[in-house]
Coordinates of all heavy atoms in Angstrom, one line a residue:
M502 N 0.8 -1.2 0.0 CA 0.0 0.0 0.0 C 0.9 1.3 0.0 O 0.4 2.3 -0.3 CB -0.9 -0.1 1.2 CG -2.1 0.8 1.1 SD -3.3 -0.1 0.1 CE -4.6 1.1 0.1
A503 N 2.1 1.1 0.3 CA 3.0 2.3 0.4 C 3.2 3.0 -1.0 O 3.5 4.1 -1.0 CB 4.3 1.9 1.0
D504 N 3.1 2.2 -2.0 CA 3.3 2.7 -3.4 C 2.0 3.3 -3.9 O 2.0 3.8 -5.0 CB 3.8 1.7 -4.3 CG 2.9 0.5 -4.5 OD1 2.0 0.3 -3.7 OD2 3.1 -0.2 -5.5
H505 N 0.9 3.2 -3.2 CA -0.4 3.7 -3.6 C -0.6 5.2 -3.2 O -0.7 5.5 -2.0 CB -1.5 2.9 -3.0 CG -2.9 3.3 -3.4 ND1 -3.4 3.1 -4.6 CD2 -3.9 3.8 -2.7 CE1 -4.6 3.6 -4.7 NE2 -4.9 4.0 -3.5
Q506 N -0.5 6.1 -4.2 CA -0.7 7.5 -3.8 C -2.2 7.9 -4.0 O -2.8 7.6 -5.0 CB 0.1 8.4 -4.8 CG 1.5 8.7 -4.2 CD 2.1 9.9 -5.0 OE1 1.8 10.1 -6.2 NE2 3.0 10.5 -4.4
I507 N -2.6 8.7 -3.0 CA -4.0 9.1 -3.0 C -4.0 10.5 -3.7 O -3.4 11.4 -3.3 CB -4.6 9.3 -1.6 CG1 -4.5 7.9 -0.8 CG2 -6.0 9.9 -1.6 CD1 -5.4 6.9 -1.4
P508 N -4.8 10.7 -4.8 CA -4.8 12.0 -5.5 C -5.5 13.0 -4.6 O -6.4 12.7 -3.8 CB -5.7 11.7 -6.8 CG -5.9 10.2 -6.8 CD -5.5 9.6 -5.5
H509 N -5.0 14.2 -4.7 CA -5.6 15.4 -4.0 C -6.3 16.3 -5.0 O -5.7 16.6 -6.0 CB -4.5 16.1 -3.2 CG -4.0 15.4 -2.1 ND1 -3.4 14.2 -2.1 CD2 -4.0 15.8 -0.7 CE1 -3.0 13.8 -0.9 NE2 -3.3 14.8 -0.1
F510 N -7.5 16.8 -4.7 CA -8.2 17.7 -5.6 C -8.5 19.0 -4.8 O -8.7 19.0 -3.6 CB -9.5 17.1 -6.1 CG -9.2 15.8 -6.9 CD1 -9.4 14.6 -6.4 CD2 -8.6 15.9 -8.2 CE1 -9.2 13.4 -7.1 CE2 -8.4 14.8 -8.9 CZ -8.6 13.5 -8.4
Q511 N -8.5 20.1 -5.6 CA -8.8 21.4 -5.0 C -9.9 22.1 -5.8 O -10.1 21.7 -7.0 CB -7.6 22.3 -4.9 CG -6.8 22.5 -6.2 CD -7.4 23.6 -7.1 OE1 -8.2 24.4 -6.7 NE2 -7.1 23.5 -8.4
N512 N -10.6 23.1 -5.3 CA -11.7 23.7 -6.0 C -11.6 25.3 -5.8 O -12.5 25.9 -5.2 CB -13.0 23.2 -5.5 CG -14.2 23.6 -6.3 OD1 -14.0 24.3 -7.4 ND2 -15.4 23.3 -5.9
D513 N -10.5 25.8 -6.2 CA -10.3 27.3 -6.1 C -11.4 28.1 -6.8 O -11.8 29.1 -6.4 CB -9.0 27.7 -6.7 CG -7.8 27.6 -5.8 OD1 -8.0 27.5 -4.6 OD2 -6.7 27.5 -6.3
A514 N -11.9 27.5 -7.9 CA -12.9 28.3 -8.8 C -14.3 28.2 -8.2 O -15.2 28.8 -8.7 CB -12.8 27.8 -10.2
G515 N -14.5 27.3 -7.2 CA -15.8 27.2 -6.6 C -16.8 26.4 -7.5 O -18.0 26.7 -7.5
H516 N -16.3 25.5 -8.3 CA -17.2 24.7 -9.1 C -18.2 23.9 -8.3 O -17.8 23.4 -7.2 CB -16.4 23.6 -9.9 CG -15.4 24.2 -10.8 ND1 -15.7 25.0 -11.9 CD2 -14.0 24.2 -10.8 CE1 -14.5 25.4 -12.5 NE2 -13.5 24.9 -11.8
P517 N -19.5 23.8 -8.6 CA -20.4 23.1 -7.9 C -20.1 21.5 -7.9 O -20.4 20.8 -7.0 CB -21.8 23.4 -8.5 CG -21.5 23.9 -9.8 CD -20.1 24.5 -9.8
A518 N -19.6 21.1 -9.0 CA -19.3 19.6 -9.2 C -18.0 19.5 -10.0 O -17.7 20.3 -10.8 CB -20.4 18.9 -9.9
I519 N -17.2 18.4 -9.6 CA -16.0 18.1 -10.3 C -16.0 16.6 -10.6 O -16.3 15.8 -9.8 CB -14.8 18.4 -9.4 CG1 -14.7 19.9 -9.1 CG2 -13.5 18.0 -10.1 CD1 -13.7 20.3 -8.1
E520 N -15.8 16.3 -11.9 CA -15.7 14.9 -12.3 C -14.2 14.4 -12.1 O -13.3 15.1 -12.5 CB -16.1 14.7 -13.8 CG -17.5 14.9 -14.0 CD -17.9 14.7 -15.5 OE1 -17.3 13.8 -16.1 OE2 -18.7 15.4 -16.0
I521 N -14.1 13.2 -11.5 CA -12.7 12.7 -11.3 C -12.7 11.2 -11.7 O -13.8 10.5 -11.7 CB -12.3 12.8 -9.8 CG1 -13.3 12.2 -8.8 CG2 -12.2 14.3 -9.5 CD1 -12.9 12.2 -7.4
G522 N -11.5 10.6 -11.9 CA -11.4 9.2 -12.3 C -11.0 8.3 -11.2 O -10.6 7.2 -11.5
V523 N -11.2 8.6 -10.0 CA -10.9 7.8 -8.9 C -12.0 7.8 -7.8 O -12.8 8.7 -7.8 CB -9.6 8.2 -8.1 CG1 -8.4 8.0 -9.1 CG2 -9.6 9.6 -7.6
K524 N -12.1 6.8 -7.0 CA -13.1 6.7 -6.0 C -12.6 7.0 -4.6 O -13.3 7.2 -3.6 CB -13.9 5.4 -6.0 CG -14.8 5.3 -7.2 CD -15.7 4.1 -7.1 CE -16.9 4.2 -8.0 NZ -17.9 3.3 -7.6
E525 N -11.3 6.9 -4.4 CA -10.6 7.3 -3.1 C -9.7 8.5 -3.4 O -8.8 8.4 -4.3 CB -9.8 6.1 -2.6 CG -10.6 4.9 -2.2 CD -9.7 3.8 -1.7 OE1 -8.5 3.8 -1.9 OE2 -10.3 2.9 -1.1
F526 N -9.9 9.6 -2.6 CA -9.1 10.8 -2.9 C -9.2 11.7 -1.7 O -9.9 11.4 -0.7 CB -9.7 11.5 -4.1 CG -11.2 11.9 -3.9 CD1 -11.6 13.1 -3.5 CD2 -12.2 10.9 -4.2 CE1 -12.9 13.5 -3.4 CE2 -13.5 11.3 -4.0 CZ -13.9 12.5 -3.6
M527 N -8.4 12.8 -1.8 CA -8.4 13.8 -0.7 C -8.9 15.1 -1.3 O -8.6 15.5 -2.4 CB -7.0 14.0 -0.2 CG -6.3 12.8 0.3 SD -6.8 12.4 2.0 CE -6.0 13.6 3.0
C528 N -9.8 15.7 -0.6 CA -10.3 17.1 -0.9 C -9.5 18.1 0.0 O -9.5 17.9 1.2 CB -11.8 17.2 -0.8 SG -12.4 18.9 -1.2
V529 N -9.0 19.1 -0.6 CA -8.3 20.1 0.2 C -9.0 21.5 0.2 O -8.6 22.4 0.8 CB -6.8 20.3 -0.3 CG1 -6.1 19.0 -0.2 CG2 -6.7 20.9 -1.6
G530 N -10.2 21.5 -0.5 CA -10.9 22.8 -0.6 C -10.2 23.7 -1.6 O -10.0 23.3 -2.8
A531 N -9.7 24.8 -1.2 CA -9.0 25.7 -2.1 C -7.5 25.4 -2.0 O -7.1 24.6 -1.1 CB -9.2 27.2 -1.7
N532 N -6.7 25.9 -2.9 CA -5.2 25.7 -2.8 C -4.7 26.3 -1.5 O -5.2 27.3 -1.0 CB -4.5 26.4 -4.0 CG -4.4 25.4 -5.2 OD1 -4.1 24.3 -5.0 ND2 -4.8 25.9 -6.3
P533 N -3.7 25.7 -0.9 CA -3.0 26.2 0.3 C -2.5 27.6 0.0 O -2.1 27.9 -1.2 CB -1.8 25.3 0.5 CG -2.3 24.0 -0.1 CD -3.1 24.4 -1.3
P534 N -2.6 28.6 0.8 CA -2.8 28.4 2.3 C -4.3 28.6 2.6 O -4.7 28.7 3.8 CB -2.0 29.6 2.9 CG -2.1 30.7 1.9 CD -2.1 29.9 0.5
F535 N -5.2 28.6 1.7 CA -6.6 28.8 1.9 C -7.4 27.4 1.9 O -8.6 27.4 1.8 CB -7.2 29.7 0.8 CG -6.5 31.0 0.7 CD1 -5.7 31.3 -0.3 CD2 -6.6 31.9 1.8 CE1 -5.0 32.5 -0.4 CE2 -5.9 33.1 1.7 CZ -5.1 33.4 0.6
D536 N -6.7 26.3 2.2 CA -7.3 25.0 2.2 C -8.0 24.7 3.5 O -7.8 25.4 4.5 CB -6.2 24.0 1.9 CG -5.0 24.1 2.8 OD1 -4.8 25.1 3.4 OD2 -4.3 23.0 2.9
H537 N -8.8 23.7 3.4 CA -9.4 23.2 4.7 C -8.7 21.9 5.1 O -7.8 21.5 4.3 CB -10.9 22.9 4.5 CG -11.3 22.0 3.5 ND1 -10.9 20.7 3.4 CD2 -12.2 22.1 2.4 CE1 -11.5 20.0 2.4 NE2 -12.3 20.9 1.8
P538 N -8.9 21.3 6.2 CA -8.3 20.1 6.6 C -8.4 19.1 5.4 O -9.5 19.0 4.8 CB -9.0 19.6 7.8 CG -9.5 20.9 8.4 CD -9.9 21.8 7.3
H539 N -7.3 18.4 5.1 CA -7.4 17.5 3.9 C -8.2 16.3 4.3 O -7.8 15.5 5.1 CB -5.9 17.1 3.5 CG -5.2 18.3 3.1 ND1 -3.9 18.2 2.4 CD2 -5.4 19.7 3.1 CE1 -3.5 19.4 2.1 NE2 -4.4 20.3 2.5
E540 N -9.3 16.2 3.7 CA -10.4 15.2 4.0 C -10.2 14.0 3.0 O -10.4 14.1 1.8 CB -11.7 15.8 3.9 CG -12.9 15.0 4.2 CD -13.0 14.7 5.7 OE1 -12.4 15.4 6.5 OE2 -13.8 13.8 6.0
F541 N -10.0 12.8 3.6 CA -10.0 11.6 2.8 C -11.5 11.2 2.5 O -12.3 11.1 3.5 CB -9.3 10.4 3.6 CG -9.4 9.1 2.8 CD1 -8.6 8.9 1.7 CD2 -10.3 8.1 3.2 CE1 -8.7 7.7 1.0 CE2 -10.4 6.9 2.5 CZ -9.6 6.7 1.4
L542 N -11.8 11.0 1.3 CA -13.1 10.6 0.9 C -13.1 9.3 0.1 O -12.2 9.1 -0.8 CB -13.8 11.7 0.0 CG -13.9 13.1 0.7 CD1 -14.3 14.2 -0.2 CD2 -14.9 13.0 1.9
D543 N -14.0 8.4 0.3 CA -14.1 7.2 -0.4 C -15.6 7.0 -0.9 O -16.5 6.9 -0.1 CB -13.7 6.0 0.6 CG -13.7 4.7 -0.1 OD1 -14.2 4.5 -1.2 OD2 -13.2 3.7 0.6
M544 N -15.7 6.9 -2.2 CA -17.1 6.7 -2.7 C -17.6 5.3 -2.5 O -18.9 5.2 -2.6 CB -17.1 7.0 -4.2 CG -16.8 8.5 -4.5 SD -17.0 8.7 -6.3 CE -16.3 10.3 -6.5
G545 N -16.8 4.3 -2.3 CA -17.3 3.0 -2.2 C -18.0 2.6 -3.4 O -17.5 2.7 -4.5
A546 N -19.2 2.0 -3.3 CA -20.0 1.6 -4.4 C -20.8 2.8 -5.1 O -21.3 2.6 -6.2 CB -21.0 0.5 -4.0
D547 N -20.8 3.9 -4.4 CA -21.4 5.1 -5.0 C -20.6 5.7 -6.1 O -19.5 5.4 -6.3 CB -21.7 6.2 -3.9 CG -22.6 5.7 -2.8 OD1 -23.5 4.8 -3.1 OD2 -22.5 6.1 -1.7
V548 N -21.2 6.6 -6.9 CA -20.6 7.3 -8.0 C -20.5 8.9 -7.7 O -20.0 9.6 -8.5 CB -21.2 7.1 -9.3 CG1 -21.1 5.6 -9.7 CG2 -22.7 7.5 -9.3
E549 N -20.9 9.3 -6.5 CA -20.8 10.7 -6.1 C -20.5 10.8 -4.6 O -20.9 9.9 -3.9 CB -22.1 11.4 -6.4 CG -22.5 11.5 -7.8 CD -23.8 12.3 -8.0 OE1 -24.6 12.5 -7.0 OE2 -24.1 12.7 -9.1
K550 N -19.8 11.9 -4.3 CA -19.5 12.1 -2.9 C -19.4 13.6 -2.7 O -18.7 14.3 -3.5 CB -18.2 11.4 -2.5 CG -17.8 11.4 -1.1 CD -18.6 10.4 -0.3 CE -18.1 10.2 1.1 NZ -18.8 9.1 1.8
V551 N -19.9 14.1 -1.6 CA -19.9 15.5 -1.2 C -18.8 15.7 -0.1 O -18.9 15.0 0.9 CB -21.2 16.1 -0.8 CG1 -21.1 17.5 -0.3 CG2 -22.2 15.9 -1.9
C552 N -17.9 16.7 -0.3 CA -17.0 17.0 0.7 C -17.7 17.7 1.9 O -18.4 18.6 1.7 CB -15.9 17.9 0.2 SG -14.7 18.4 1.5
P553 N -17.5 17.1 3.1 CA -18.2 17.7 4.3 C -17.7 19.1 4.7 O -18.4 19.8 5.4 CB -18.0 16.7 5.4 CG -16.8 16.0 5.0 CD -16.7 16.0 3.5
Y554 N -16.5 19.5 4.2 CA -16.0 20.8 4.5 C -16.4 21.9 3.6 O -16.9 23.0 4.0 CB -14.5 20.8 4.6 CG -13.9 20.2 5.9 CD1 -13.6 18.9 6.0 CD2 -13.8 21.0 7.0 CE1 -13.1 18.3 7.2 CE2 -13.3 20.5 8.2 CZ -13.0 19.1 8.3 OH -12.5 18.6 9.4
C555 N -16.3 21.6 2.3 CA -16.5 22.7 1.3 C -17.7 22.5 0.4 O -18.1 23.3 -0.4 CB -15.2 22.9 0.4 SG -14.8 21.5 -0.6
S556 N -18.4 21.3 0.6 CA -19.6 21.0 -0.1 C -19.4 20.8 -1.7 O -20.3 20.8 -2.4 CB -20.7 22.0 0.1 OG -21.0 22.1 1.4
T557 N -18.1 20.6 -2.1 CA -17.9 20.2 -3.5 C -18.5 18.8 -3.8 O -18.2 17.9 -3.0 CB -16.4 20.2 -3.8 OG1 -15.9 21.6 -3.6 CG2 -16.1 19.8 -5.3
L558 N -19.2 18.7 -4.8 CA -19.7 17.4 -5.3 C -18.7 16.8 -6.2 O -18.4 17.4 -7.3 CB -21.1 17.5 -6.0 CG -21.7 16.3 -6.6 CD1 -22.0 15.2 -5.5 CD2 -22.9 16.6 -7.4
Y559 N -18.2 15.6 -5.9 CA -17.3 14.9 -6.7 C -18.1 13.8 -7.4 O -18.8 13.0 -6.7 CB -16.1 14.3 -5.9 CG -15.1 15.4 -5.4 CD1 -15.3 15.9 -4.2 CD2 -14.1 15.8 -6.3 CE1 -14.4 16.9 -3.8 CE2 -13.3 16.8 -5.9 CZ -13.4 17.4 -4.6 OH -12.5 18.3 -4.2
K560 N -17.9 13.6 -8.7 CA -18.6 12.6 -9.5 C -17.6 11.7 -10.2 O -16.6 12.2 -10.8 CB -19.4 13.3 -10.6 CG -20.6 14.1 -10.0 CD -21.4 14.7 -11.2 CE -22.6 15.5 -10.7 NZ -23.5 15.9 -11.8
Y561 N -17.7 10.4 -10.0 CA -16.8 9.5 -10.6 C -17.1 9.3 -12.1 O -18.2 9.1 -12.5 CB -17.0 8.1 -9.9 CG -16.1 7.0 -10.5 CD1 -14.7 7.1 -10.4 CD2 -16.7 5.9 -11.1 CE1 -13.9 6.1 -11.0 CE2 -15.9 4.9 -11.6 CZ -14.5 5.0 -11.6 OH -13.7 4.0 -12.1
N562 N -16.0 9.4 -12.9 CA -16.0 9.3 -14.3 C -14.9 8.3 -14.7 O -13.8 8.6 -14.7 CB -15.8 10.6 -15.0 CG -15.9 10.5 -16.5 OD1 -15.7 9.4 -17.1 ND2 -16.1 11.6 -17.2
P563 N -15.3 7.0 -14.9 CA -14.3 6.0 -15.2 C -13.4 6.2 -16.4 O -12.4 5.6 -16.6 CB -15.1 4.7 -15.3 CG -16.4 5.1 -15.6 CD -16.6 6.5 -15.0
A564 N -13.8 7.1 -17.3 CA -13.1 7.4 -18.5 C -11.9 8.3 -18.2 O -11.0 8.5 -19.0 CB -14.0 8.1 -19.5
L565 N -11.8 8.9 -17.0 CA -10.7 9.9 -16.7 C -9.6 9.2 -15.9 O -9.8 8.2 -15.2 CB -11.3 11.0 -15.7 CG -12.4 11.8 -16.3 CD1 -12.8 12.8 -15.3 CD2 -11.9 12.6 -17.5
H566 N -8.4 9.6 -16.2 CA -7.2 9.2 -15.4 C -7.2 9.8 -14.0 O -7.9 10.8 -13.8 CB -5.9 9.5 -16.2 CG -5.7 8.7 -17.4 ND1 -5.2 7.5 -17.4 CD2 -6.0 9.0 -18.7 CE1 -5.1 7.0 -18.6 NE2 -5.7 7.9 -19.4
A567 N -6.4 9.3 -13.1 CA -6.4 9.8 -11.7 C -6.0 11.3 -11.6 O -6.4 11.9 -10.7 CB -5.5 8.9 -10.9
D568 N -5.3 11.8 -12.6 CA -4.8 13.2 -12.5 C -5.5 14.1 -13.4 O -5.1 15.2 -13.6 CB -3.3 13.2 -12.8 CG -2.9 12.7 -14.2 OD1 -3.8 12.1 -14.8 OD2 -1.8 12.9 -14.6
V569 N -6.7 13.7 -13.9 CA -7.5 14.5 -14.8 C -8.8 14.8 -14.2 O -9.4 14.0 -13.5 CB -7.7 13.8 -16.2 CG1 -8.6 14.6 -17.1 CG2 -6.4 13.5 -16.8
T570 N -9.3 16.1 -14.3 CA -10.6 16.5 -13.8 C -11.4 17.2 -14.9 O -10.8 17.8 -15.8 CB -10.4 17.4 -12.6 OG1 -9.8 18.6 -13.0 CG2 -9.7 16.8 -11.5
V571 N -12.7 17.2 -14.7 CA -13.6 18.0 -15.5 C -14.5 18.8 -14.6 O -15.2 18.2 -13.8 CB -14.5 17.1 -16.4 CG1 -15.5 17.9 -17.2 CG2 -13.6 16.3 -17.4
P572 N -14.4 20.1 -14.5 CA -13.5 20.9 -15.4 C -12.0 20.7 -15.1 O -11.7 20.3 -14.0 CB -13.9 22.4 -15.0 CG -14.6 22.3 -13.7 CD -15.1 20.9 -13.6
A573 N -11.2 21.1 -16.0 CA -9.7 20.9 -15.9 C -9.2 21.8 -14.8 O -9.7 22.8 -14.4 CB -9.0 21.2 -17.2
G574 N -8.0 21.4 -14.2 CA -7.3 22.2 -13.3 C -7.6 22.1 -11.8 O -7.2 22.9 -11.0
C575 N -8.3 21.0 -11.5 CA -8.7 20.8 -10.1 C -7.8 19.8 -9.3 O -8.1 19.5 -8.2 CB -10.2 20.4 -10.0 SG -11.3 21.7 -10.6
T576 N -6.8 19.3 -10.0 CA -5.9 18.3 -9.4 C -4.8 19.2 -8.6 O -4.3 20.1 -9.2 CB -5.1 17.5 -10.4 OG1 -6.1 16.7 -11.1 CG2 -4.2 16.5 -9.7
L577 N -4.6 18.9 -7.4 CA -3.6 19.6 -6.6 C -2.2 18.9 -6.9 O -2.0 17.7 -6.7 CB -3.9 19.5 -5.1 CG -2.9 20.1 -4.1 CD1 -2.9 21.7 -4.3 CD2 -3.1 19.8 -2.7
N578 N -1.3 19.8 -7.4 CA 0.0 19.3 -7.7 C 0.9 19.6 -6.5 O 1.1 20.7 -6.2 CB 0.5 20.0 -9.0 CG -0.3 19.6 -10.2 OD1 -0.6 18.4 -10.4 ND2 -0.7 20.5 -11.0
H579 N 1.5 18.5 -5.9 CA 2.3 18.7 -4.8 C 3.7 19.2 -5.3 O 4.2 18.7 -6.3 CB 2.5 17.4 -4.1 CG 1.3 16.8 -3.5 ND1 0.7 17.3 -2.3 CD2 0.4 15.9 -3.9 CE1 -0.4 16.7 -2.0 NE2 -0.6 15.8 -3.0
K580 N 4.2 20.2 -4.5 CA 5.5 20.7 -4.9 C 6.6 20.1 -3.9 O 6.3 20.1 -2.7 CB 5.5 22.2 -4.8 CG 4.6 22.9 -5.8 CD 4.6 24.3 -5.7 CE 3.7 24.9 -6.8 NZ 3.1 26.1 -6.5
A581 N 7.6 19.6 -4.4 CA 8.7 19.1 -3.6 C 9.3 20.2 -2.8 O 9.5 21.3 -3.2 CB 9.7 18.4 -4.5
A582 N 9.7 19.8 -1.5 CA 10.3 20.8 -0.6 C 11.7 21.0 -0.9 O 12.4 20.3 -1.6 CB 10.2 20.3 0.8

């Protein structure tokens, strides 16, 4: 499991819904330093999940790769220290 990275998504633009290609992920709200606590979300058998902090609706789209979102630009890119 150590090689399994959990994708992080952000919603700076305030989109009501974001399509993603994974069912396990982290929501950070807006980009740091305006982020909320990084919330691990798991859709399980469902195809939608709402973040309890920022109310972003995430929708599973199996046609997308883990680092692609619709609308584009909602993947949080970690910067190396």
